[in-house]
Amino acid sequence: MATTTTHDTQEHGMAAADAARASVKVWDPFVRLFHWSLVAVVATAALTGFFAGASWLQVHVWAGTAMAALVVARVVWGFTGGSYARFSAFIRGPRQVISHLRGIVDGTEGRHIGHNPLGALMIVALLATAALLALTGAVALGGMFKFGPFAFLADFASGRLARELHSLLAWGLVLLVALHVAGAVFEGWRTRDNLMRAMVTGAKQRRPGDYPAPRLAARPMLGLAVGVVFLGGGAASVSTLASRPPLGVPTAPLDAVYADECGACHTAYHPSLLPAASWRALFANLGDHFGEDATLPPETVAKLEAYVTANAAEDFDTLPANAFRRTAADAPYQITATRFWKWMHAGISDAVFKSPAVGARGNCAACHRDAATGRFDPRRIDIPQEITR
Amino acid sequence: MMHKRKLAVLAAIAALAGATAVMAGPRDDILAGYAAEAGVTAFDAAAGKALFTGTHTGGKPETPSCTTCHTGNLTGPGKTRAGKVIEPMAVSANPQRFTDPAKVEKWFGRNCRSVLGRECSAKEKGDVITWLSSL
């Protein structure tokens, strides 16, 4: 600081003006890369989250994971980066935010070459919202779909709560992004800057009257080391946690007699797909089973009924076990008649179900490759090719 | 050299014949059982065909004929109403057919009640198996 001032005062004329107008590298390469990568992953996560179905969940999860990693990296750089990247250099208290706002209203506010106090607040809000989105997403994923780092810990109810929060936060992030863009447009107009270009090239013209930014030397090696430790440690713990057995997911293979007898006309429905009361009603009525005779010797019926009622929906915590617990009143043991099933498959046309490769709605295994396990992982949905083409 | 090869071919033929005989064994026993139950000495393949390919009204409306699921092409696969593939019924295409008495009884029981609305007689069962074995 001091040297610059003496330097400036010693020079005269054009040279002084040139020095003052010299272009400054405001946004270092990391900050720029971070910014546009975040734009890309948030856009991907938003598109797949708001508009795409369960089959895009995998992409959504990857985008969310990348977003979390970017936030961690940015926070590390917030403590190790240089003048315009360091949090302590631009995060300001409420008093300065208010005086900044007053200055804008009065027209007396100068230009902050880096983040202005209000913009800094936005950076914090964006980073915090993104971090919470990743956290609630991971809990929702673990609780509802039984994969990821929280699958061993979160039950369905907490997963669903987390998903509610996740969607509120998602709308919150949409709002923040809109405000952030509006703020940048406004600030660009107010200070006659091309802020968009600055975030690409990293450079801005220095002008007289700019608020000075503190001179802080970046410590890239330290940042890199801390970042590697945090991200590496994070990845390692996520994968160890994710490899723990998920909560309430059936692991035992289907009973062989059940698979044989109840898999003769259709895929053997996993016992966890219906509540015990439904199974009892079904077994009491095998003589008129969906318009067919499916009778079995009484001892086989007793054995199979004991098996399915001991492994029914109440005994597991998977998404289908939770969703199909609420059966239709007029079809107490028809999975495809439940509200959840209808709602989930509303987008699939009758022609697809009737096509040779599927045949019927009840042929779950035609599209759900893990149907036999009762799990119905959204990552394993695969509508047969010949139909979708 | 020639001898060895001939022997191998002969052995293979013998093994194949043996396998078919082992498969035919239980099927013949099943047929013999139905013949004794029905009090007949021979079954009528044409009657079996008529029952199997005919359209019936006594059973459940969803399944008017055996061919609803097994299709008219008995050497090819069929399909259940729930979309599951059924292996061919003709013995020539599926040598495992009618070799497990409990399975045969179970499915005649179910399918006759579904299609005809009644049990099939021993004679009818024998006729159907005889016809499906001749295809």
Side-chain angles (χ1 to χ4, degrees), chain B:
Chain B
M1 281 314 256
M2 276 310 277
H3 254 88
K4 263 199 182 154
R5 189 176 283 173
K6 244 181 206 160
L7 269 180
V9 171
L10 276 176
I13 290 171
L16 260 177
T20 322
V22 167
M23 285 314 202
R27 191 176 311 119
D28 288 341
D29 292 348
I30 290 169
L31 279 174
Y34 286 143
E37 200 185 327
V40 295
T41 49
F43 288 113
D44 180 355
K49 178 180 183 180
L51 185 142
F52 203 91
T53 55
T55 304
H56 308 273
T57 49
K60 304 204 155 98
E62 292 88 349
T63 51
S65 168
C66 306
T67 55
T68 305
C69 300
H70 294 296
T71 77
N73 173 18
L74 280 314
T75 53
K79 193 174 242 179
T80 67
R81 288 177 44 236
K84 193 172 186 257
V85 171
I86 307 176
E87 295 301 315
M89 289 300 275
V91 171
S92 58
N94 183 0
Q96 303 289 327
R97 280 294 176 215
F98 320 116
T99 53
D100 173 353
K103 180 174 180 185
V104 172
E105 268 302 289
K106 178 173 76 185
W107 286 102
F108 267 127
R110 284 177 175 168
N111 292 341
C112 290
R113 281 192 296 271
S114 287
V115 175
L116 307 171
R118 61 167 175 84
E119 304 289 337
C120 284
S121 67
K123 169 79 165 64
E124 286 171 321
K125 296 177 196 170
D127 289 346
V128 166
I129 296 181
T130 304
W131 177 60
L132 288 170
S133 305
S134 71
L135 292 176

Side-chain angles (χ1 to χ4, degrees), chain A residues 60-98:
Chain A
H60 183 73
V61 168
W62 277 115
T65 310
M67 181 184 77
L70 284 170
V71 170
V72 170
R74 180 64 185 91
V75 170
V76 170
W77 196 233
F79 291 98
T80 51
S83 307
Y84 301 101
R86 192 85 62 94
F87 288 154
S88 63
F90 62 81
I91 296 178
R92 294 281 166 265
R95 204 169 292 157
Q96 270 146 300
V97 174
I98 290 169

Side-chain angles (χ1 to χ4, degrees), chain A residues 9-24:
Chain A
T9 46
Q10 278 168 4
E11 298 279 333
H12 296 284
M14 293 299 288
D18 277 356
R21 292 191 156 269
S23 127
V24 211

Side-chain angles (χ1 to χ4, degrees), chain A residues 132-144 150 154-170:
Chain A
L132 286 175
L133 263 167
L135 183 70
T136 51
V139 175
L141 204 61
M144 296 180 68
F150 296 107
D155 63 7
F156 190 80
S158 27
R160 202 153 53 178
L161 180 66
R163 203 190 57 176
E164 296 298 316
L165 294 174
H166 189 71
S167 64
L168 281 179
L169 286 163

Side-chain angles (χ1 to χ4, degrees), chain A residues 20-92:
Chain A
R21 292 191 156 269
S23 127
V24 211
K25 272 281 180 224
V26 178
W27 309 124
D28 63 46
F30 171 83
V31 166
R32 282 177 277 150
L33 190 66
F34 163 80
H35 179 272
W36 295 113
S37 309
L38 193 66
V39 170
V41 297
V42 166
T44 309
L47 286 175
T48 51
F50 285 118
F51 303 112
S55 36
W56 283 87
L57 188 62
Q58 182 86 313
V59 177
H60 183 73
V61 168
W62 277 115
T65 310
M67 181 184 77
L70 284 170
V71 170
V72 170
R74 180 64 185 91
V75 170
V76 170
W77 196 233
F79 291 98
T80 51
S83 307
Y84 301 101
R86 192 85 62 94
F87 288 154
S88 63
F90 62 81
I91 296 178
R92 294 281 166 265

Side-chain angles (χ1 to χ4, degrees), chain A residues 236-317:
Chain A
S237 28
V238 163
S239 80
T240 342
L241 292 179
S243 65
R244 291 185 140 208
L247 189 76
V249 171
T251 47
L254 274 189
D255 177 82
V257 178
Y258 177 81
D260 192 36
E261 294 293 359
C262 299
C265 299
H266 43 66
T267 30
Y269 297 110
H270 195 279
S272 69
L273 295 181
L274 283 171
S278 294
W279 288 122
R280 278 191 213 101
L282 182 149
F283 274 89
N285 200 17
L286 285 180
D288 186 9
H289 180 74
F290 297 93
E292 262 173 56
D293 189 309
T295 41
L296 289 165
E299 62 278 10
T300 316
V301 169
K303 192 172 163 276
L304 293 183
E305 190 175 334
Y307 165 68
V308 290
T309 50
N311 292 279
E314 296 91 332
D315 301 297
F316 294 102
D317 196 41

